[in-house]
Amino acid sequence: MGSYPTSSGNDHGERALPVTAVRPEILASWRRSQSLGIDRERAALPIDRDLDPDSRLIRAAAPVLDRLCERFSGIPVTVALADSRANIVDRWGDPVGLELMDAASLVPGANVDERFMGTSSVSMVLSTRAPFVVVGHEHFLHDLKELTCMAAPVRDPVGGAVRGAVNLSVPRELAEPGMALVLQQATERIEERLLELSTARELELMRSFRRARERGGHAELELGSGKLSRLGGPAPRLAAQERLILLERAVELISSADETFAEVPLAGSRTAVLRRRELHHGDAEGAAVEVSFEDTRGTGAPGPATATAPDGRRVPLLHRPAGTAGADAPGAPGGAHAAGPADAWLLLVGEPGVGRLAAEARGRLSLLNEAGVRLGTTLDMRRTAEELAEIAVPCFADLVVVDLVESVLAGEEPRPGRLRPGAALRRVAAWPGRDFRDTAAGGVDEPVGYPAGTPQARCLETGQPGTDSVVTAALADRVHPVDLLGEGEHSYLGAPLSAQGSVLGLAGFYRRGRTRPYEEDDLTLAGELAARAAISVDNARRYRRERHASLTLQRSLLPHVLPRLSTVELASRYLPADARAGVGGDWFDAIPLSGMRVALVVGDVPGNGLQAAATMGRLRTAVRTLAGLDLLPEEVLAHLDDLVSRTPDEPAGEQDPATGATCLYAIYDPVSCSCTAARAGHPPPALLTPDGTAELLDLPAGPPLGLGGIQPYESATVGLPAGSLLTMYTDGLLKESRGYGDTDARTGQLLALLNLAGPALEDICDRVADTFPPGGPYDDVALLLARVHALPEQQVASWELPSEPSAVARARALTRAQLAAWGMPELDFNTGLVVSELVTNAVRYGGPGPVGLRLLRDDSLICEVSDRSNTSPRIRRAATTEEGGRGLFLVAQFTKSWGARYMPQGKTVWAEQIPQPEQPAPETDEQALLAMFDDPG
């Protein structure tokens, strides 16, 4: 760490401050002091001459600090008592030390705040509201570098407010850790004496009112029983809730400087009238609240007399004037005022400050209750941060900023433990109140970082709320939102957002000015608010992570891009019912098959979420595997049903999550322009023919998967004219509510929409999506559109050959001639070899009956040889002495892919080649090719 830079324009500005072994918070205070232009040699301290020498703080602290100095007799220590504004109000200690304090202008009335003195123990205590020790070289002023100064706050025992600080200064070579403990015990004793003095003041106020009550015949409210007792007669009884309401209203009256009376409606058409009366006894100033009752129906005891206030209001009087109603103004002195009527009862006596604390305590409970209702209404981290800020302003703070860890915003698991200074955070909320909504954004959605020594870094390191003062003129690093705070000195409270042992971010609460600094009770409230917000943020983070995982899973299971085929145009939509989760069990697929055919699949798994997505992926994988075997649609569904029905890994009594899933499987053949389809509990597809007729295809209905034992699956074949539009969908498209509702109406709406469909398939998908309400469909919807085209006749060549050896040469000749006609001579050698091997196998093993040969030309060349046998061709490794067994090896060597599919009678073996005109086929030695498949050795 280098030397601390000094400011120019100062005679001593060239002397650098040593920064080695300096705590970060001290270094941060140095930076602030330096930016304020404080002279390190001799600071100019303002002195307040108008101090109260008999204040409660001095009366409580003087005896205690006298004994403290006696305890350190013989050691050159000095003790200074400062008030909450950092003014020294009294001093004790060694005469030599007091003379040194006089030389440094540390006299009674001097203000030792950081703004004037730089870094000192008192300024750090009043800023952080916690004990603090400044050791020798950590002082900003050179005159204090030989001292160790330890200070502790003095808190009001009633509300926890910091009333002042006690500083103990000792030469640093004589300082011992035990001195700080003794100082802390002394401040605790001062706090006890403050409580004793406060209690004495309250007692004197009560005695003053009782004397007035005895003269006037007032009675008291028995809070325990709820009875109002008075001299001369019975009084009405109050319910528990009514007593609570009256006490709360009385607290507000005592703490208010403007209100003098209030009316509280009660049950039974009664109204309680509360009036505030000022009380004085010595230096104790307080108020009493009396209550009287009136019946708004005009029955019962007469209501209290009233008088007209200067502003025109009717003010109730708790005494009955002897003359006219306005003879005695409210609060007028004299016996009549003190006497009071027979229907006035004492409700509460107290000091305004105590009443204010009680009102603030109730406000804190109300704020926590509001936070419990409003926080976490959405599973969105940014919105939760905004809710926290909006709840706290203006009841608890004038400005709130919320920062979250970058990794948390991304949904990642946070690191356990605290955060180090400089951790990467991002500001997600800054709320200065409705009156400042049009001001600067306060750095929202920008990265933020807090260096060591800042109050934010301390909160993140300790995991505990903390306070500090903010002087905007000294903020060179801009760790606070100066643009929203404005110039001046402000109060700051930071509360880390901690959940599950990890710090997720930081909430910063600001109060403009120094009239309402944050106190101990505020730390507790801020910690509770931050804890509740952190739980909501963590829930939102977990939801984001799980949703991202679910979406990633589903997107990896659904086809990323539909295949581009020359004979089928495809378009699709997936519309989740839960737009936030976006995960369901519906799926679609398009699978190219042999012979330029394509399998079109739509399925629906019950439920939604991660389980449904995983089940959907399992079924889709199985469908693609079965499709690769070139099975008929009914066979595919039967195998799927067996897969779902047999679940040996499921616990007893549980069924496969795929049970009840539905599926529609269709195969389109562009050569015959036919479609063969079967369905398992799925809605039938809709067909729009080129003449504009839209209808549902009549397909045999099969049971959902897992229930296939009820009946077998059947398929049907229908002709599809070229240009027809086949629409496949899941049942979510037909639901008008959470149930099925009127599916016929939705089906009619779909057919009518198809009648008006244009040529663009994407537009049709958009129009279908627009038929749903703004909130989205009631169930997940998968939609697959396929506009089919026929393969032109000039791209198909087929022959029927006799099942005899001479057919092989005939097949080669026909193939060579057709390739020449198609302009594909580069495939002559390879195709001739493939056709020879396939026709030879058909003649040798295909049984009686003709052999079919078909060539299909598109982007690739497909050779198909059919026979009447159901035997399965397979590759086997031929022995060295065998002449046969190498044919399929050659087919696999010279083609891109090959396979076999079965028909009701016989099979078809096919092979596909990709033309490569830029690479002419080389002359190949057949013996060399055959040698490739010989066994080694």
Side-chain angles (χ1 to χ4, degrees), residues 515-537:
T515 57
R516 295 186 304 139
Y518 286 108
E519 305 295 352
E520 192 71 19
D521 291 346
D522 296 320
L523 287 173
T524 304
L525 175 61
E528 181 64 22
L529 288 175
R532 296 190 181 194
I535 293 175
S536 298
V537 168

Side-chain angles (χ1 to χ4, degrees), residues 71-155:
R71 182 166 183 173
F72 291 118
S73 61
I75 302 176
V77 301
T78 57
V79 177
L81 176 65
D83 62 15
S84 59
R85 296 176 298 172
N87 291 319
I88 298 177
V89 296
D90 209 344
R91 307 178 306 176
W92 294 261
D94 181 71
V96 177
L98 294 178
E99 292 178 1
L100 293 176
M101 292 183 70
D102 290 338
S105 299
L106 299 176
V107 297
N111 193 296
V112 294
D113 191 79
E114 185 182 74
R115 295 172 296 165
F116 313 112
M117 185 179 176
T119 308
S120 69
S121 56
V122 172
S123 66
M124 296 299 290
V125 163
L126 295 180
S127 176
T128 63
R129 326 300 273 184
F132 208 92
V133 178
V134 178
V135 180
H137 65 280
E138 293 181 334
H139 285 96
F140 187 78
L141 297 182
H142 292 305
D143 293 343
L144 302 179
K145 293 189 179 296
E146 298 302 321
L147 298 176
T148 292
C149 298
M150 51 196 75
V154 176
R155 300 184 183 277

Side-chain angles (χ1 to χ4, degrees), residues 388-460:
L388 172 62
E390 293 170 0
I391 290 170
V393 176
C395 298
F396 184 67
D398 297 322
L399 166 66
V400 177
V401 297
V402 182
D403 308 321
L404 294 181
V405 179
E406 291 276 15
S407 60
V408 171
L409 272 175
E412 301 175 7
E413 194 72 25
R415 293 178 54 187
R418 312 305 179 198
L419 293 180
R420 296 184 177 274
L425 294 95
R426 182 170 293 274
R427 181 150 300 165
V428 295
W431 180 244
R434 299 188 182 277
D435 295 339
F436 298 87
R437 67 173 67 191
D438 296 329
T439 57
V444 174
D445 207 29
E446 293 181 2
V448 293
Y450 298 113
T454 58
Q456 294 92 334
R458 290 199 301 269
C459 292
L460 295 174

